[in-house]
Amino acid sequence: MEPNSRTGIADAEAASGGSRPVKTLFGELADGTKIYNWALENGGTRLKVLSWGGIVQSLEIPDRHGRYANVSLGFDTIEDYVARTPYFGALIGRYGNRIGEGRFTLDGKAYQVDVNDGVNSLHGGAKGFDKHVWDVEPFTKGTDVGLYLHCTSADGDMGYPGTLKVKVTYTLTQRGEWRIDYEATTTEATVVNLTSHVYWNLAGESSGTIEDHELTIAAARYTPTDAGLIPTGELAKVSGTPFDFRRTKAIGRDLRAGHVQQVHAKGYDHNWVLDKGVTAEPVHVATVRDPRSGRTLKIATDQPGLQFYSGNFLDGTLTGTGGRTYRQGDALCLETQHFPDAPNQPSFPSTTLRPGQTYRTTTIHTFDA
């Protein structure tokens, strides 16, 4: 019998540091490569991660009554992830978000990377890190449990320069936090912007709309885009617009306000310029709460931007782990990041990584009910 409170679960696990990650076969790729699912639990949070794309296949947390639900969208089969996924739960790279026309110039040399979103490049191209097989190694460290995920992207992969070696660490703490630490090194000057693309619905992944979820973002500005969702370079004020989440409000309140930026994106799909900027340590920047279940997610990061996406392109053609179809607005994403198209925007924080440097960034998800 499970404890009926989060505190009880955390207390029961504290002495042992949670359960050691368990590996099971999830499926096989067309070439016979086996894909594994790693299950780990700590502090009342249950996480399942695939070696395909570093994907969070499910993340379960309790509500105010101790009842568990999977709060991330996903699939039951590897075939669906390979053929159909809109980045459900995936690790994103080499460059999270968009690069205009897939072009940028670095140290005087022009590069053309893979174009897979109209005329633009999205999330690293047609075969980004979400479609790589990651090497996964479990660990226990004190009261923490987690996974080390390793991936090497060869020089020229999707058009990007330099061989990029990436290590991502997923940690579940005894308080039930999910921490992501990203690291990368390169053999040549390149651009890097790594993030996680979990689709959240704190009422449960098959429970319907997130329009009643309440959201707060610590940002007085955002980056407006053109019709192709490429930033114009402006850092616009959120004051007096539907993009003002400095005070908590329901996502659906201004979702259909008709602002030209919402018309471009069919809702929210924009980068918020976090007030704190780039910081040495993660700082709390966003909170989302489902009033029905009481579940709350807080996000802390050292990154300067946060992409809030309101699930605008979910169209009812995908059936998830709960056996129900996902429709527009059935989930939201909060992607910690550097800004979209930064390689083409000199005024944006730089995403350049050079040999001898190590790219490092951390995001922490804290859950409560």
Side-chain angles (χ1 to χ4, degrees):
M1 182 176 179
E2 295 174 344
N4 63 1
S5 74
R6 186 173 188 78
T7 303
I9 296 170
D11 290 346
E13 292 177 346
S16 62
S19 59
R20 183 172 178 80
V22 176
K23 175 183 176 183
T24 57
L25 181 65
F26 186 70
E28 294 186 7
L29 302 180
D31 65 1
T33 301
K34 289 181 169 57
I35 302 301
Y36 294 97
N37 195 335
W38 290 86
L40 50 160
E41 181 175 358
N42 204 7
T45 299
R46 301 167 177 171
L47 181 65
K48 290 185 178 179
V49 177
L50 303 181
S51 54
W52 174 258
I55 286 170
V56 172
Q57 196 253 342
S58 72
L59 193 151
E60 298 182 13
I61 54 174
D63 66 7
R64 61 167 64 91
H65 302 294
R67 296 173 298 203
Y68 274 84
N70 173 22
V71 296
S72 77
L73 273 57
F75 294 125
D76 284 325
T77 70
I78 189 59
E79 289 79 12
D80 278 339
Y81 280 109
V82 171
R84 312 174 68 202
T85 182
Y87 305 100
F88 283 158
L91 285 174
I92 300 298
R94 289 190 185 193
Y95 198 94
N97 219 305
R98 294 171 174 86
I99 295 179
E101 297 183 350
R103 299 175 183 172
F104 61 90
T105 300
L106 182 58
D107 295 339
K109 184 176 179 180
Y111 293 94
Q112 176 69 64
V113 298
D114 188 63
V115 170
N116 63 325
D117 182 46
V119 299
N120 303 316
S121 182
L122 175 65
H123 294 332
K127 189 178 179 183
F129 287 173
D130 60 297
K131 297 177 181 66
H132 283 230
V133 179
W134 291 69
D135 294 325
V136 183
E137 176 188 357
F139 71 85
T140 57
K141 187 181 298 183
T143 56
D144 296 342
V145 298
L147 303 170
Y148 298 122
L149 299 98
H150 297 269
C151 176
T152 298
S153 176
D155 181 25
D157 182 16
M158 294 289 102
Y160 287 90
T163 297
L164 194 74
K165 291 189 176 180
V166 181
K167 176 185 177 182
V168 178
T169 305
Y170 287 169
T171 303
L172 286 187
T173 72
Q174 66 174 332
R175 293 193 299 175
E177 299 165 325
W178 174 39
R179 176 180 175 127
I180 311 176
D181 293 283
Y182 306 85
E183 296 179 26
T185 59
T186 183
T187 59
E188 297 179 32
T190 192
V191 295
V192 183
N193 190 26
L194 306 182
T195 190
S196 171
H197 209 298
V198 173
Y199 282 68
W200 301 101
N201 186 321
L202 297 182
E205 59 80 35
S206 60
S207 63
T209 183
I210 47 81
E211 290 190 24
D212 58 347
H213 281 36
E214 299 165 346
L215 177 63
T216 313
I217 303 176
R221 296 179 183 269
Y222 75 107
T223 52
T225 73
D226 62 19
L229 302 184
I230 299 299
T232 63
E234 180 187 4
L235 305 183
K237 293 181 179 180
V238 300
S239 179
T241 77
F243 296 84
D244 193 349
F245 284 90
R246 291 173 295 175
R247 292 186 178 180
T248 303
K249 68 177 180 181
I251 290 170
R253 194 182 86 178
D254 297 325
L255 184 61
R256 293 171 178 81
H259 191 285
V260 64
Q261 288 295 310
Q262 294 174 302
V263 174
H264 289 338
K266 296 181 171 60
Y268 295 112
D269 191 5
H270 294 78
N271 170 66
W272 268 252
V273 180
L274 298 173
D275 292 340
K276 70 176 189 61
V278 178
T279 48
E281 299 293 334
V283 174
H284 173 236
V285 296
T287 300
V288 60
R289 178 179 179 271
D290 169 42
R292 289 177 287 171
S293 66
R295 295 186 184 95
T296 300
L297 164 64
K298 295 181 179 180
I299 293 181
T301 185
D302 50 18
Q303 292 287 276
L306 181 74
Q307 185 83 8
F308 165 40
Y309 168 58
S310 54
N312 317 324
F313 299 103
L314 297 173
D315 60 4
T317 62
L318 304 176
T319 300
T321 53
R324 300 178 65 183
T325 57
Y326 297 142
R327 298 188 178 276
Q328 187 179 53
D330 278 359
L332 71 145
C333 300
L334 295 168
E335 304 154 63
T336 57
Q337 60 177 14
H338 269 56
F339 300 172
D341 201 39
N344 295 311
Q345 303 280 355
S347 64
F348 287 1
S350 175
T351 55
T352 300
L353 179 69
R354 299 185 181 279
Q357 298 176 335
T358 301
Y359 171 100
R360 289 190 177 92
T361 179
T362 298
T363 293
I364 300 173
H365 306 79
T366 302
F367 306 102
D368 201 357

